[in-house]
Amino acid sequence: MKILTGNSNRPLAEAISAYLNLPLVNASVRRFSDMEVFVEINENIRGEDVFIIQPTSFPTNDNLMELLVTIDALKRSSARRITAVIPYYGYARQDRKSGPRTPISAKLVANLITTAGVDRVLTVDLHAGQIQGFFDIPTDNLFAAPVLTKDIKERFGTGNNLCIVSPDVGGVVRARAFAKRLDAELAIVDKRRERAGVSEVMNIIGEVDGKRCILVDDIVDSAGTLCNAAVALKEAGALSVAAYVTHGVLSGGAVARVSASPLESLVITDSIQATEAVRVSQTVRQLSIAPLLAEAMARISEEKSVSSLFD
């Protein structure tokens, strides 16, 4: 088993490498002066089971191209099996036609990765589970819920006046799974989006008065939805509001928006490398999914069950 990383999230790759007690493959992933990607693998990987760790986060297109070029380099180096470990799958929100004459970019990216020559994909909390069906190769979608619920239990306990809240109707299944694990109540924020990137909170389905509310979601980007939901929950009588989200995209002024909102804390995972704004923020905190990914990678390499991780 060999582990290789691109430039997208080196700290996560190093944490996985340390957990498995395996050194990272000596490889050079660099740019020419015209910004073309060049990959050179400086050790023999013929016949090896290789895992490449590369979330396709910002800059999405650069990181995606880096992944594709690296896969091609591995294939031409006669690797026995290539697994793309993509903790954050960019373009996942473009998983259907949102209007006439629009693309399904998540499917296009799946085609690119498959055509590049990967044998298997390992990812975390896909925006829509159906994206697994966009690949014609084995795809494992891990859940960050065990990592997040462990932290919630340590900080909030379970049951007593705890309420798990979905910030929109689409996240109800995820929120229900959290509520079941934590023996907590469930509420939903009914949101009406007037235009892309701008959300407006309408009303709350469920009882949140006097409850400690925890918003759960898979992606936080501009953080507008979370902050509006936090305001609505506070107005409805919630004692406190915190948020737990798997992928902290946090683009633009998202961190400042979170800090100025009623959210006591925003907890994200390290599926995307933390920006400087995240590192210095008093409100945003990162949990590591390196042990979860490392365990799944070890099981894939040893041909053991991955689903038993979540039993």
Side-chain angles (χ1 to χ4, degrees):
M1 179 181 178
K2 298 268 188 182
I3 306 169
L4 177 67
T5 182
N7 295 319
S8 177
N9 195 345
R10 197 167 185 91
L12 176 64
E14 286 168 352
I16 291 170
S17 162
Y19 184 92
L20 292 171
N21 201 23
L22 280 172
L24 291 170
V25 167
N26 178 11
S28 168
V29 183
R30 61 182 190 271
R31 299 279 193 282
F32 289 130
S33 57
D34 63 352
M35 298 310 288
E36 275 186 14
V37 177
F38 178 71
V39 176
E40 188 174 13
I41 294 155
N42 302 319
E43 62 181 82
N44 180 30
I45 54 158
R46 185 180 296 275
E48 297 281 5
D49 188 10
V50 184
F51 292 78
I52 167 162
I53 301 164
Q54 178 80 340
T56 50
S57 50
F58 176 84
T60 308
N61 300 333
D62 285 9
N63 287 329
L64 176 60
M65 198 64 207
E66 229 175 67
L67 173 65
L68 298 174
V69 173
T70 307
I71 291 166
D72 192 68
L74 291 171
K75 192 172 69 170
R76 293 174 193 281
S77 305
S78 304
R80 177 170 56 86
R81 181 171 66 176
I82 304 164
T83 303
V85 181
I86 312 172
Y88 172 70
Y89 185 82
Y91 287 100
R93 285 172 284 181
Q94 297 183 46
D95 59 349
R96 63 192 182 281
K97 288 193 70 168
S98 56
R101 298 171 295 282
T102 56
I104 304 177
S105 306
K107 169 63 176 162
L108 172 63
V109 170
N111 288 349
L112 287 169
I113 291 168
T114 307
T115 304
V118 86
D119 298 294
R120 190 180 194 101
V121 171
L122 178 64
T123 185
V124 180
D125 274 343
L126 283 171
H127 186 60
Q130 301 90 305
I131 292 172
Q132 291 172 88
F134 291 174
F135 289 93
D136 294 324
I137 52 176
T139 306
D140 292 299
N141 181 29
L142 303 180
F143 305 109
V147 177
L148 300 178
T149 50
K150 182 171 178 280
D151 191 76
I152 293 171
K153 282 176 183 174
E154 286 170 1
R155 289 178 178 265
F156 297 91
T158 57
N160 48 357
N161 81 341
L162 199 63
C163 185
I164 302 297
V165 184
S166 172
D168 53 30
V169 177
V172 174
V173 174
R174 184 181 304 104
R176 189 188 293 127
F178 271 79
K180 191 175 176 184
R181 279 173 177 265
L182 295 162
D183 189 26
E185 292 186 31
L186 179 66
I188 304 159
V189 178
D190 176 35
K191 174 190 74 175
R192 196 162 299 171
R193 196 184 289 275
E194 297 300 325
R195 61 181 191 273
V198 179
S199 66
E200 183 186 350
V201 168
M202 301 304 287
N203 50 46
I204 290 161
I205 303 163
E207 187 54 57
V208 297
D209 191 17
K211 301 278 172 64
R212 293 174 303 155
C213 293
I214 296 173
L215 287 153
V216 295
D217 211 348
D218 63 325
I219 298 172
V220 54
D221 188 350
S222 65
T225 300
L226 278 186
C227 295
N228 288 349
V231 170
L233 289 167
K234 274 291 196 180
E235 287 173 355
L239 281 179
S240 64
V241 185
Y244 280 75
V245 184
T246 306
H247 307 295
V249 178
L250 296 169
S251 57
V255 175
R257 195 173 291 119
V258 167
S259 300
S261 77
L263 283 169
E264 287 186 356
S265 64
L266 168 61
V267 181
I268 57 176
T269 72
D270 57 353
S271 62
I272 297 171
Q273 189 170 345
T275 60
E276 186 58 32
V278 170
R279 279 193 288 271
V280 301
S281 173
Q282 300 293 310
T283 316
V284 185
R285 189 162 54 87
Q286 264 196 331
L287 300 176
S288 182
I289 53 167
L292 176 72
L293 283 166
E295 198 60 49
M297 287 161 62
R299 290 181 184 210
I300 288 168
S301 184
E302 293 162 8
E303 308 291 353
K304 291 181 180 174
S305 167
V306 173
S307 60
S308 58
L309 267 174
F310 306 100
D311 291 345

